[in-house]
């Protein structure tokens, strides 16, 4: 029932990739946590789309829909924000992942790096300052 030509073209590939990712896993859906990360007057929504538990691990997943391959630094920033600023389950291990939905590839987040938090805070402060001057 889609009338948008872009969606008509993209959705079949995206649905196929999502179904391939799910495969035959026995999973339980949960509502993924959401949070705002704020620094220096800048607010960013940390808003993963999927929460699935399988193999005893809760997977909080941000979907990547675009055709170009996501760069490592962009992926690290997204998973870093999720890992460091979203609430975690107290009773089960949690993995903060990105799903390249077109390729059905789930990419687990890397261990956090305090230097990345410092970089994000510096970028936020810089952006906020520039925005104030415009």
């Amino acid at each position: 029932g889609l009338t948008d030509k872009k969606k008509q073209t993209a959705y079949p590939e995206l649905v196929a990739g999502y179904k391939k990712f799910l495969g035959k896993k026995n999973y339980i859906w949960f509502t993924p946590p959401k949070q705002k990360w704020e620094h220096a007057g800048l607010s960013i929504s940390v808003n993963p789309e999927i929460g699935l538990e399988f193999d005893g691990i809760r997977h909080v997943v941000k979907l990547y829909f675009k055709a170009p391959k996501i760069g490592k630094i962009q992926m690290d920033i997204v998973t870093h924000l999720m890992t460091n600023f979203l609430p975690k389950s107290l009773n089960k291990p949690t993995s903060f992942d990105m799903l390249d939905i077109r390729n059905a590839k789930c990419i687990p987040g890397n261990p956090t790096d305090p230097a990345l938090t410092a970089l994000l805070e510096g970028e936020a402060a810089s952006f906020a300052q520039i925005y104030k001057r415009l």
Side-chain angles (χ1 to χ4, degrees), residues 108-129:
N110 291 325
T112 64
D113 180 358
L116 192 50
T117 298
L119 175 67
L120 289 171
E121 289 173 350
E123 290 289 327
S126 175
F127 181 83
Q129 184 63 28

Side-chain angles (χ1 to χ4, degrees), residues 35-133:
Q35 191 90 331
K36 287 194 187 283
W37 175 74
E38 296 181 6
H39 185 77
L42 181 71
S43 179
I44 295 176
S45 294
V46 183
N47 190 16
E49 292 87 6
I50 297 176
L52 295 176
E53 183 180 326
F54 54 90
D55 299 331
I57 299 173
R58 291 169 58 94
H59 294 267
V60 176
V61 183
K62 182 71 181 162
L63 299 176
Y64 181 73
F65 290 94
K66 296 179 181 176
K69 187 177 178 183
I70 187 167
K72 181 178 176 355
I73 189 67
Q74 290 87 358
M75 188 200 66
D76 285 349
I77 289 168
V78 171
T79 57
H80 181 85
L81 284 167
M82 290 193 303
T83 301
N84 288 283
F85 304 109
L86 290 178
K88 296 161 188 64
S89 171
L90 297 176
N91 58 353
K92 295 195 177 171
T94 303
S95 180
F96 296 93
D97 310 327
M98 284 201 67
L99 174 60
D100 177 350
I101 197 164
R102 289 179 186 270
N103 297 306
K105 184 174 181 181
C106 190
I107 306 157
N110 291 325
T112 64
D113 180 358
L116 192 50
T117 298
L119 175 67
L120 289 171
E121 289 173 350
E123 290 289 327
S126 175
F127 181 83
Q129 184 63 28
I130 292 168
Y131 188 75
K132 283 181 197 176
R133 300 280 179 149

